[in-house]
């Protein structure tokens, strides 16, 4: 086989040479240039912005709906679930993030050439957002030597991995520079429609950059408390941060063919959509506090269990409609959605013989051994029709349209309020923790169109402010629905909410990071080896060694967080 491969390779090379000789003559003195291509040296920054902004927002939202939603136990999957439920994050590639950064780097270079403060500020803000996510998820990464592959020097062809500390410091410095640029930026040359977040409004971008600064100051608050305290207090005093839902940094979907909400892509295949089911951890939280957002995010079970001790068998084989048996032994999802969209169904079981969850909303326990069979599903398997477990609410099957609640959210006024609540709890000069805590809840309820339930919700004993970090982080976790990447960072930093893994989890603790991708091992071995040396083994790193999902990067080294 090796000989054949070499022979084939030789044949191809010979053919290429022949084609080269027959297609060229000695008068060729310039490269073949695509007459329809855009010269990077002349590209209009307005043309670069939409791709950068859309890709960054959609990548972040995808994390919040997929890997991070599973890790933070918002949802679980009952088919093809290892990555979602069990932290199977081996060889995770960051190529998509660096592709965004390459385009963004070109945006910055053009902005400098044009002496345009607005585009420079946008580029520095997006650079910080993307690099912040990279180091949050992987740890050390190429930073100072990255995005310079067009230069011939070896260090740029094989970029070193900067420490996580260096990257966080750089993120904060770039955001500070962006804020300064937006102070004087003009939107005169900006095509408003191409700014998918803020329509060319420099003040909105300044609030966004300052709000990201709040996020990253709090991120490093255990390692550099004086820096974090001064930074957060200064931004609070300025008042120039995202203060209400209308100012949130979001990508609004239009519902067009290539501009649709994440799970709409999945909903086009009903089997795929059904794999996203509620996690019981999250259901317990929402039901235990009568949270009005529950019905916005999840659908009730299609078939509710009813206890009946008179049954002579553990459970009926058929479902009931208004108390009458239908005689249906198996029941795929499509039959219910298409044929019985407005009817309720039940199935009876004998609680003395078998234990089922008979609540209206039911979630999958985390890291379950056989999730597709949970709660008496009569048709288990990778087809994953399980009408005894709650799926995502119906709205998540839609494409999304301008102005509705399906948005890719990068940072929100609710998150900002919870950051200030934590800062106040620490004793920093940012107002009262209680006020910010309630403001965070109210803003989240407003986002999910449940503002009218605020007074009743916060009047409950479980929600009344008790001045604990656990309560602040718990409500911030709830409010992070579809933005679970931030909840993941908060969990690792504080240990809240107190999540418990399940029987199929490879380790008894929630994972901490993504493993580095194969491209780095194959093409940048020396640099990645230096980065691996800086990771800290833990009792749960297991057979993966340093590059384990359970190893600690700089931010958590020397701390007891989250364990």
């Amino acid at each position: 086989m090796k000989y054949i491969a070499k022979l084939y390779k030789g044949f191809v090379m010979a053919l290429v040479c022949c084609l080269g000789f027959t297609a060229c003559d000695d008068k060729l003195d310039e490269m073949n240039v695509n007459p329809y291509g855009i010269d990077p040296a002349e590209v209009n920054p307005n043309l670069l912005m939409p791709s950068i902004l859309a890709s960054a927002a959609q990548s972040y939202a995808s994390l919040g709906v997929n890997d991070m939603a599973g890790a933070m136990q918002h949802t679980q999957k009952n088919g093809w679930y290892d990555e979602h439920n069990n932290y199977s994050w081996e060889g995770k590639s960051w190529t998509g993030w660096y592709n965004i950064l390459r385009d963004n780097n070109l945006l910055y270079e053009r902005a400098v050439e044009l002496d345009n403060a607005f585009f420079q500020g946008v580029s520095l803000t997006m650079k910080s957002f993307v690099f912040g996510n990279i180091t949050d998820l992987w740890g050390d990464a190429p930073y100072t030597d990255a995005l310079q592959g067009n230069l011939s020097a070896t260090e740029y062809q094989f970029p070193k991995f900067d420490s996580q500390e260096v990257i966080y410091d750089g993120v904060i410095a770039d955001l500070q520079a962006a804020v300064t640029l937006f102070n004087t930026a003009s939107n005169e040359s900006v095509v408003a429609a191409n700014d998918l977040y803020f329509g060319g409004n420099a003040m909105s971008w300044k609030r966004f950059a300052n709000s990201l600064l709040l996020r990253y100051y709090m991120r490093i608050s255990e390692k550099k408390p004086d820096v974090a305290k001064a930074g957060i207090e200064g931004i609070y005093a300025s008042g120039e941060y995202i203060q209400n839902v209308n100012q949130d940094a979001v990508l609004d979907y239009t519902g067009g063919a290539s501009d649709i909400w994440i799970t709409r892509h999945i909903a086009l295949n009903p089997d795929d959509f059904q794999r996203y089911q509620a996690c019981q951890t999250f259901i317990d939280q929402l039901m235990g506090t009568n949270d009005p957002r529950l019905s916005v995010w999840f659908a009730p079970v299609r078939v509710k269990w009813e206890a009946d001790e008179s049954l002579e068998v553990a459970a009926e084989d058929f479902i009931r409609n208004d108390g009458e048996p239908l005689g249906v032994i198996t029941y795929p999802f499509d039959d219910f959605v298409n044929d019985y969209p407005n009817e309720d169904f039940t199935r009876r079981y004998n609680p003395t013989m078998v234990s089922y969850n008979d609540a209206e909303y039911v979630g999958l326990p985390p890291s379950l051994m056989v999730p597709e069979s949970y709660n008496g599903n009569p048709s288990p398997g990778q087809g994953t029709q399980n009408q005894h477990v709650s799926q995502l609410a119906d709205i998540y099957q839609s494409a999304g349209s301008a102005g509705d609640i399906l948005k890719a959210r990068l940072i929100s006024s609710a998150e900002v309020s919870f950051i200030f609540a934590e800062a106040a709890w620490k004793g920093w000069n940012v107002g009262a923790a209680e006020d910010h805590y309630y403001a965070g809840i109210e803003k989240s309820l407003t986002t999910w169109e449940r503002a009218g339930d605020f007074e009743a919700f916060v009047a409950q004993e479980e929600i009344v402010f008790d001045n604990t970090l656990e309560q602040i982080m718990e409500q911030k976790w709830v409010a992070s629905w579809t933005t679970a990447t931030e909840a993941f960072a908060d969990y690792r930093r504080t240990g809240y909410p107190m999540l418990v893994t399940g029987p199929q989890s490879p380790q008894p603790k929630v994972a901490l990071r993504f493993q580095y991708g194969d491209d780095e091992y194959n093409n940048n071995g020396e640099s990645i080896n230096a980065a691996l040396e800086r990771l800290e083994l833990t009792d749960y790193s297991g057979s993966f060694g340093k590059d384990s999902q359970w190893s600690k990067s700089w931010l958590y080294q020397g701390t007891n967080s989250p364990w």
Side-chain angles (χ1 to χ4, degrees), residues 21 42 57 79 129 143 161 184 208 217 385 400 423 428 448 467 554:
F21 284 122
E42 298 179 0
F129 177 78
Y143 181 66
F161 282 48
T184 58
F208 178 31
Y217 279 135
Q385 290 92 6
W428 299 352
W448 299 106
N467 198 31
W554 167 80

Side-chain angles (χ1 to χ4, degrees), residues 458-493:
V458 299
Q460 299 178 97
E461 181 180 354
E462 298 85 356
I463 304 300
V464 172
F465 186 60
D466 64 9
N467 198 31
T468 64
L469 180 61
E470 180 176 5
Q471 187 187 45
I472 293 169
M473 302 315 298
E474 189 174 79
Q475 282 302 312
K476 191 180 180 187
W477 165 62
V478 173
S480 73
W481 171 253
T482 72
T483 58
T485 305
E486 186 59 21
F488 183 56
D490 286 334
Y491 166 75
R492 291 174 294 166
R493 181 175 58 83

